[in-house]
Coordinates of all heavy atoms in Angstrom, one line a residue:
M1 N 15.8 -33.9 -2.5 CA 14.6 -33.2 -3.0 C 14.8 -31.6 -2.9 O 14.2 -30.9 -3.8 CB 13.4 -33.6 -2.0 CG 12.1 -32.9 -2.4 SD 10.9 -33.0 -1.1 CE 9.8 -31.8 -1.6
L2 N 15.5 -31.2 -1.9 CA 15.8 -29.8 -1.8 C 17.1 -29.4 -2.5 O 17.4 -28.2 -2.5 CB 15.8 -29.3 -0.4 CG 14.4 -29.3 0.3 CD1 14.6 -29.0 1.8 CD2 13.5 -28.3 -0.3
R3 N 17.8 -30.3 -3.1 CA 19.0 -30.0 -3.8 C 18.8 -29.4 -5.1 O 18.0 -29.9 -5.9 CB 19.8 -31.3 -3.9 CG 21.3 -31.0 -4.4 CD 22.1 -32.2 -4.1 NE 22.3 -32.4 -2.6 CZ 23.3 -32.9 -2.0 NH1 24.3 -33.3 -2.7 NH2 23.4 -32.9 -0.7
R4 N 19.4 -28.3 -5.4 CA 19.3 -27.6 -6.7 C 20.7 -27.4 -7.3 O 21.6 -27.1 -6.5 CB 18.6 -26.3 -6.5 CG 17.2 -26.3 -6.1 CD 16.2 -26.8 -7.1 NE 14.9 -26.8 -6.7 CZ 14.3 -27.7 -5.9 NH1 15.0 -28.7 -5.4 NH2 13.0 -27.6 -5.5
T5 N 20.8 -27.5 -8.6 CA 22.1 -27.1 -9.2 C 22.2 -25.6 -9.3 O 21.1 -24.9 -9.2 CB 22.2 -27.7 -10.6 OG1 21.1 -27.1 -11.4 CG2 21.9 -29.2 -10.6
C6 N 23.4 -25.1 -9.6 CA 23.5 -23.7 -9.7 C 22.7 -23.2 -10.9 O 22.1 -22.0 -10.8 CB 25.0 -23.4 -10.0 SG 26.0 -23.6 -8.5
K7 N 22.5 -23.9 -11.9 CA 21.7 -23.5 -13.1 C 20.3 -23.4 -12.6 O 19.6 -22.4 -13.0 CB 21.9 -24.6 -14.2 CG 21.5 -24.0 -15.5 CD 21.8 -25.1 -16.6 CE 21.1 -24.8 -17.9 NZ 21.3 -25.8 -18.9
E8 N 19.8 -24.3 -11.9 CA 18.4 -24.2 -11.4 C 18.2 -23.1 -10.5 O 17.2 -22.4 -10.5 CB 18.0 -25.5 -10.7 CG 17.8 -26.7 -11.6 CD 17.8 -28.1 -10.9 OE1 18.3 -28.2 -9.8 OE2 17.3 -29.0 -11.5
V9 N 19.2 -22.8 -9.6 CA 19.1 -21.7 -8.7 C 19.1 -20.4 -9.4 O 18.3 -19.5 -9.1 CB 20.3 -21.8 -7.7 CG1 20.5 -20.4 -6.9 CG2 20.0 -22.9 -6.7
A10 N 19.9 -20.3 -10.5 CA 19.9 -19.1 -11.3 C 18.5 -18.8 -11.9 O 18.0 -17.7 -11.9 CB 21.0 -19.2 -12.4
A11 N 17.9 -19.9 -12.4 CA 16.6 -19.8 -13.0 C 15.6 -19.3 -11.9 O 14.7 -18.5 -12.2 CB 16.2 -21.1 -13.6
L12 N 15.7 -19.9 -10.7 CA 14.8 -19.5 -9.6 C 15.0 -18.0 -9.2 O 14.0 -17.3 -9.0 CB 15.0 -20.4 -8.4 CG 14.5 -21.8 -8.4 CD1 14.9 -22.6 -7.1 CD2 13.0 -21.8 -8.6
L13 N 16.2 -17.6 -9.2 CA 16.5 -16.2 -8.8 C 15.9 -15.2 -9.8 O 15.3 -14.2 -9.5 CB 18.0 -15.9 -8.7 CG 18.7 -16.5 -7.5 CD1 20.2 -16.4 -7.6 CD2 18.2 -15.9 -6.2
V14 N 15.9 -15.6 -11.1 CA 15.3 -14.8 -12.1 C 13.8 -14.9 -12.0 O 13.1 -13.8 -12.1 CB 15.8 -15.2 -13.5 CG1 15.0 -14.5 -14.6 CG2 17.3 -15.0 -13.7
A15 N 13.3 -16.1 -11.8 CA 11.8 -16.3 -11.8 C 11.2 -15.5 -10.6 O 10.1 -15.0 -10.7 CB 11.5 -17.7 -11.7
R16 N 12.0 -15.4 -9.5 CA 11.5 -14.8 -8.3 C 11.2 -13.3 -8.5 O 10.5 -12.7 -7.8 CB 12.6 -14.9 -7.2 CG 12.1 -14.5 -5.8 CD 13.2 -14.8 -4.8 NE 14.3 -13.9 -5.0 CZ 15.4 -13.9 -4.2 NH1 15.4 -14.6 -3.1 NH2 16.4 -13.1 -4.5
E17 N 11.9 -12.7 -9.6 CA 11.6 -11.3 -9.9 C 10.2 -11.1 -10.4 O 9.6 -10.0 -10.4 CB 12.6 -10.8 -10.9 CG 14.0 -10.8 -10.4 CD 14.2 -9.9 -9.1 OE1 13.9 -8.7 -9.2 OE2 14.5 -10.4 -8.0
D18 N 9.7 -12.2 -11.0 CA 8.4 -12.1 -11.7 C 7.2 -12.7 -10.9 O 6.1 -12.3 -11.1 CB 8.4 -12.8 -13.1 CG 9.3 -12.0 -14.1 OD1 9.3 -10.8 -13.9 OD2 9.8 -12.6 -15.0
R19 N 7.5 -13.7 -10.1 CA 6.4 -14.4 -9.5 C 6.9 -14.9 -8.1 O 8.0 -15.0 -7.8 CB 6.0 -15.6 -10.3 CG 7.1 -16.6 -10.5 CD 6.6 -17.9 -11.3 NE 7.7 -18.8 -11.6 CZ 8.1 -19.7 -10.8 NH1 7.5 -19.9 -9.6 NH2 9.2 -20.5 -11.1
E20 N 5.9 -15.2 -7.3 CA 6.1 -15.7 -6.0 C 6.5 -17.2 -6.1 O 5.9 -18.0 -6.8 CB 4.8 -15.7 -5.2 CG 4.9 -15.9 -3.7 CD 5.5 -14.7 -3.0 OE1 5.4 -13.6 -3.6 OE2 6.1 -14.8 -1.9
L21 N 7.7 -17.5 -5.5 CA 8.1 -18.9 -5.5 C 7.3 -19.8 -4.5 O 6.8 -19.2 -3.5 CB 9.6 -19.0 -5.2 CG 10.6 -18.3 -6.1 CD1 12.0 -18.5 -5.7 CD2 10.4 -18.8 -7.6
S22 N 7.3 -21.1 -4.7 CA 6.6 -22.0 -3.8 C 7.5 -22.0 -2.5 O 8.7 -21.7 -2.5 CB 6.5 -23.3 -4.4 OG 7.7 -24.0 -4.5
A23 N 6.9 -22.5 -1.4 CA 7.7 -22.6 -0.2 C 8.9 -23.6 -0.4 O 10.0 -23.3 0.2 CB 6.8 -23.2 0.9
V24 N 8.7 -24.6 -1.1 CA 9.8 -25.6 -1.4 C 10.9 -24.9 -2.1 O 12.1 -25.1 -1.8 CB 9.3 -26.8 -2.1 CG1 10.4 -27.7 -2.5 CG2 8.3 -27.6 -1.3
D25 N 10.6 -24.2 -3.2 CA 11.6 -23.5 -4.0 C 12.3 -22.4 -3.1 O 13.5 -22.3 -3.2 CB 10.9 -22.7 -5.2 CG 10.6 -23.7 -6.3 OD1 11.2 -24.8 -6.3 OD2 9.9 -23.3 -7.2
R26 N 11.6 -21.7 -2.3 CA 12.2 -20.7 -1.4 C 13.2 -21.4 -0.5 O 14.3 -20.9 -0.3 CB 11.2 -19.9 -0.6 CG 10.5 -18.9 -1.5 CD 9.9 -17.8 -0.6 NE 9.0 -18.3 0.4 CZ 7.7 -18.5 0.2 NH1 7.1 -18.1 -0.9 NH2 6.9 -18.9 1.2
L27 N 12.8 -22.5 0.1 CA 13.7 -23.2 1.0 C 14.9 -23.8 0.3 O 16.1 -23.6 0.8 CB 12.9 -24.3 1.7 CG 13.7 -25.1 2.8 CD1 14.2 -24.2 3.9 CD2 12.8 -26.2 3.4
A28 N 14.7 -24.4 -0.8 CA 15.8 -24.9 -1.6 C 16.8 -23.8 -2.0 O 18.0 -24.0 -2.0 CB 15.3 -25.6 -2.9
L29 N 16.2 -22.7 -2.4 CA 17.0 -21.5 -2.7 C 17.9 -21.1 -1.6 O 19.1 -20.9 -1.7 CB 16.1 -20.4 -3.2 CG 16.7 -19.2 -3.9 CD1 17.2 -19.7 -5.3 CD2 15.6 -18.2 -4.2
R30 N 17.3 -21.0 -0.4 CA 18.0 -20.5 0.8 C 19.1 -21.5 1.2 O 20.3 -21.1 1.5 CB 17.0 -20.4 2.0 CG 17.5 -19.6 3.1 CD 16.5 -18.6 3.7 NE 15.2 -19.3 3.9 CZ 14.7 -19.7 5.0 NH1 15.5 -19.6 6.1 NH2 13.6 -20.3 5.1
L31 N 18.8 -22.8 1.1 CA 19.8 -23.8 1.4 C 21.0 -23.8 0.4 O 22.2 -23.8 0.8 CB 19.2 -25.2 1.4 CG 18.2 -25.5 2.5 CD1 17.6 -26.9 2.3 CD2 19.0 -25.5 3.8
H32 N 20.7 -23.6 -0.8 CA 21.7 -23.6 -1.9 C 22.6 -22.3 -1.7 O 23.8 -22.4 -1.7 CB 21.1 -23.6 -3.3 CG 22.2 -23.7 -4.3 ND1 22.5 -24.8 -4.9 CD2 22.9 -22.7 -4.9 CE1 23.5 -24.6 -5.8 NE2 23.8 -23.3 -5.8
L33 N 22.0 -21.2 -1.4 CA 22.7 -19.9 -1.3 C 23.6 -20.0 -0.1 O 24.7 -19.3 0.0 CB 21.8 -18.7 -1.2 CG 21.0 -18.4 -2.5 CD1 20.0 -17.3 -2.2 CD2 22.0 -17.9 -3.5
A34 N 23.2 -20.7 1.0 CA 24.0 -20.8 2.2 C 25.3 -21.7 1.9 O 26.3 -21.6 2.6 CB 23.2 -21.4 3.3
A35 N 25.2 -22.6 0.9 CA 26.2 -23.6 0.7 C 27.1 -23.3 -0.5 O 28.2 -23.8 -0.6 CB 25.6 -25.0 0.6
C36 N 26.6 -22.4 -1.4 CA 27.3 -22.2 -2.6 C 28.1 -20.9 -2.6 O 27.7 -20.0 -1.9 CB 26.3 -22.1 -3.8 SG 27.0 -21.9 -5.4
K37 N 29.2 -20.9 -3.3 CA 30.0 -19.7 -3.3 C 29.6 -18.8 -4.4 O 29.7 -17.5 -4.3 CB 31.5 -20.0 -3.5 CG 32.2 -20.5 -2.2 CD 33.7 -20.4 -2.3 CE 34.4 -21.2 -1.2 NZ 33.9 -20.9 0.1
A38 N 29.2 -19.3 -5.6 CA 29.0 -18.5 -6.8 C 27.6 -17.9 -6.8 O 27.4 -16.7 -7.1 CB 29.1 -19.4 -8.0
C39 N 26.6 -18.6 -6.3 CA 25.2 -18.1 -6.5 C 24.9 -16.9 -5.7 O 24.1 -16.0 -6.2 CB 24.2 -19.2 -6.2 SG 24.2 -20.5 -7.5
P40 N 25.4 -16.7 -4.5 CA 25.2 -15.4 -3.7 C 25.6 -14.2 -4.5 O 25.0 -13.2 -4.5 CB 25.9 -15.6 -2.4 CG 25.9 -17.1 -2.2 CD 26.1 -17.7 -3.6
D41 N 26.7 -14.4 -5.3 CA 27.2 -13.3 -6.1 C 26.2 -12.9 -7.2 O 25.9 -11.8 -7.5 CB 28.5 -13.6 -6.8 CG 29.7 -13.5 -5.9 OD1 29.5 -12.9 -4.8 OD2 30.8 -14.0 -6.2
F42 N 25.6 -14.0 -7.8 CA 24.6 -13.8 -8.8 C 23.4 -13.2 -8.2 O 22.8 -12.3 -8.8 CB 24.3 -15.2 -9.5 CG 23.3 -15.0 -10.6 CD1 23.6 -14.3 -11.7 CD2 22.0 -15.6 -10.6 CE1 22.7 -14.1 -12.8 CE2 21.1 -15.5 -11.6 CZ 21.4 -14.8 -12.7
E43 N 23.0 -13.6 -7.0 CA 21.8 -13.0 -6.4 C 22.0 -11.5 -6.2 O 21.1 -10.7 -6.4 CB 21.5 -13.7 -5.0 CG 20.3 -13.2 -4.4 CD 20.1 -13.7 -3.0 OE1 21.1 -13.9 -2.3 OE2 18.9 -13.8 -2.6
R44 N 23.2 -11.2 -5.7 CA 23.5 -9.8 -5.5 C 23.4 -8.9 -6.8 O 22.9 -7.8 -6.8 CB 25.0 -9.6 -4.9 CG 25.0 -8.6 -3.8 CD 26.3 -8.6 -3.1 NE 26.5 -9.9 -2.5 CZ 27.7 -10.7 -2.6 NH1 28.7 -10.2 -3.2 NH2 27.8 -11.8 -2.0
Q45 N 23.9 -9.5 -7.9 CA 23.8 -8.8 -9.2 C 22.3 -8.6 -9.5 O 21.9 -7.5 -10.0 CB 24.4 -9.7 -10.3 CG 25.9 -9.6 -10.3 CD 26.5 -10.5 -11.4 OE1 25.9 -10.7 -12.4 NE2 27.6 -11.2 -11.1
I46 N 21.5 -9.6 -9.3 CA 20.0 -9.5 -9.6 C 19.4 -8.4 -8.7 O 18.6 -7.6 -9.2 CB 19.3 -10.8 -9.4 CG1 19.7 -11.7 -10.6 CG2 17.8 -10.6 -9.4 CD1 18.8 -12.9 -10.8
L47 N 19.8 -8.4 -7.5 CA 19.2 -7.4 -6.5 C 19.7 -6.0 -7.0 O 18.9 -5.0 -6.9 CB 19.6 -7.7 -5.1 CG 19.0 -9.0 -4.5 CD1 19.5 -9.2 -3.1 CD2 17.5 -8.9 -4.5
T48 N 20.9 -5.9 -7.4 CA 21.4 -4.6 -7.8 C 20.7 -4.1 -9.0 O 20.2 -2.9 -9.1 CB 22.9 -4.7 -8.2 OG1 23.6 -5.1 -7.0 CG2 23.5 -3.3 -8.6
M49 N 20.4 -5.0 -10.0 CA 19.7 -4.7 -11.2 C 18.2 -4.3 -10.8 O 17.7 -3.3 -11.4 CB 19.6 -5.9 -12.1 CG 20.4 -5.8 -13.3 SD 20.7 -7.5 -14.0 CE 19.0 -8.1 -14.1
R50 N 17.6 -5.0 -9.9 CA 16.3 -4.7 -9.5 C 16.2 -3.3 -8.9 O 15.3 -2.5 -9.2 CB 15.8 -5.7 -8.5 CG 14.3 -5.5 -8.1 CD 14.1 -5.9 -6.7 NE 14.0 -7.4 -6.6 CZ 14.0 -8.0 -5.4 NH1 14.0 -7.4 -4.3 NH2 13.9 -9.3 -5.4
N51 N 17.2 -3.0 -8.0 CA 17.2 -1.7 -7.4 C 17.3 -0.6 -8.4 O 16.7 0.5 -8.4 CB 18.3 -1.6 -6.3 CG 17.9 -2.4 -5.1 OD1 16.8 -2.8 -4.9 ND2 19.0 -2.8 -4.4
A52 N 18.2 -0.8 -9.4 CA 18.5 0.2 -10.4 C 17.2 0.4 -11.2 O 16.9 1.5 -11.6 CB 19.6 -0.3 -11.3
F53 N 16.5 -0.7 -11.5 CA 15.3 -0.6 -12.3 C 14.2 0.1 -11.5 O 13.5 0.9 -12.1 CB 14.9 -2.0 -12.7 CG 13.7 -2.0 -13.6 CD1 13.8 -1.4 -14.9 CD2 12.4 -2.5 -13.2 CE1 12.7 -1.4 -15.8 CE2 11.3 -2.4 -14.1 CZ 11.5 -1.9 -15.3
A54 N 14.1 -0.2 -10.2 CA 13.1 0.5 -9.4 C 13.3 2.0 -9.4 O 12.4 2.8 -9.4 CB 13.1 -0.1 -8.0
R55 N 14.6 2.4 -9.2 CA 15.0 3.8 -9.2 C 14.6 4.4 -10.5 O 14.1 5.5 -10.6 CB 16.5 4.0 -9.0 CG 16.8 4.2 -7.5 CD 18.2 4.9 -7.4 NE 19.2 4.1 -8.0 CZ 19.8 3.1 -7.4 NH1 19.6 2.8 -6.1 NH2 20.8 2.4 -8.0
W56 N 14.9 3.7 -11.6 CA 14.6 4.3 -13.0 C 13.1 4.5 -13.1 O 12.6 5.5 -13.6 CB 15.1 3.3 -14.0 CG 14.8 3.7 -15.4 CD1 15.4 4.6 -16.2 CD2 13.7 3.1 -16.2 NE1 14.8 4.7 -17.4 CE2 13.8 3.8 -17.5 CE3 12.8 2.1 -16.0 CZ2 12.9 3.5 -18.5 CZ3 11.9 1.8 -17.0 CH2 11.9 2.5 -18.2
R57 N 12.3 3.5 -12.6 CA 10.9 3.6 -12.7 C 10.3 4.7 -11.9 O 9.4 5.4 -12.3 CB 10.3 2.2 -12.3 CG 8.9 2.0 -12.9 CD 8.5 0.6 -12.8 NE 8.9 0.0 -11.6 CZ 8.9 -1.3 -11.4 NH1 8.5 -2.2 -12.3 NH2 9.2 -1.8 -10.2
N58 N 10.9 4.9 -10.7 CA 10.4 6.0 -9.9 C 10.7 7.3 -10.5 O 9.9 8.3 -10.5 CB 11.2 6.0 -8.5 CG 10.6 4.9 -7.6 OD1 9.5 4.4 -7.8 ND2 11.4 4.5 -6.6
Y59 N 11.9 7.4 -11.2 CA 12.3 8.6 -11.9 C 11.3 8.9 -13.0 O 10.9 10.0 -13.2 CB 13.7 8.4 -12.4 CG 14.2 9.5 -13.2 CD1 14.6 10.7 -12.6 CD2 14.3 9.4 -14.6 CE1 15.1 11.8 -13.4 CE2 14.8 10.4 -15.4 CZ 15.2 11.6 -14.8 OH 15.7 12.7 -15.5
Q60 N 10.9 7.9 -13.8 CA 9.9 8.1 -14.8 C 8.6 8.5 -14.3 O 8.0 9.4 -14.9 CB 9.7 6.7 -15.6 CG 11.0 6.2 -16.3 CD 11.3 6.9 -17.5 OE1 10.5 7.2 -18.4 NE2 12.6 7.4 -17.6
E61 N 8.2 7.9 -13.2 CA 6.8 8.3 -12.7 C 6.8 9.6 -12.0 O 5.8 10.3 -11.9 CB 6.4 7.2 -11.6 CG 5.9 5.9 -12.3 CD 5.7 4.8 -11.3 OE1 6.0 5.0 -10.1 OE2 5.4 3.7 -11.8
G62 N 8.0 10.0 -11.5 CA 8.1 11.3 -10.8 C 8.1 12.5 -11.8 O 8.0 13.6 -11.4
D63 N 8.2 12.2 -13.1 CA 8.3 13.3 -14.1 C 6.9 13.9 -14.3 O 6.0 13.3 -14.7 CB 8.8 12.7 -15.4 CG 9.2 13.8 -16.3 OD1 9.3 15.0 -15.9 OD2 9.3 13.5 -17.5
Ligands
ZN1 ZN1 25.2 -22.4 -6.7

């Protein structure tokens, strides 16, 4: 029930940027990230992108 494929996890990581995940999704995500080698890299890429976007937005608003 908590098992997710890498494809599903990638979709959850993207969805998480837009909406709050359910408790089950968050737990499944955490379990998968702890066990998978590839998905933590993808998560890091998303976080890097989010930070870059937040900086860009701050820059725009600070003008
Ligand atoms: Zn994975």
Side-chain angles (χ1 to χ4, degrees):
M1 182 197 163
L2 287 173
R3 188 160 294 211
R4 295 288 182 279
T5 65
C6 288
K7 202 175 161 184
E8 288 166 339
V9 163
L12 283 176
L13 287 171
V14 172
R16 193 177 63 175
E17 296 301 299
D18 288 333
R19 61 177 173 88
E20 194 75 22
L21 298 181
S22 71
V24 173
D25 280 344
R26 283 202 304 267
L27 182 58
L29 197 62
R30 197 138 45 99
L31 288 174
H32 185 98
L33 288 171
C36 184
K37 283 199 191 314
C39 288
D41 282 346
F42 182 62
E43 184 188 29
R44 220 168 302 131
Q45 281 175 38
I46 288 197
L47 293 178
T48 303
M49 251 163 50
R50 180 210 287 173
N51 289 339
F53 184 66
R55 263 200 304 275
W56 175 80
R57 202 160 43 191
N58 285 339
Y59 176 73
Q60 297 285 310
E61 282 167 5
D63 191 15

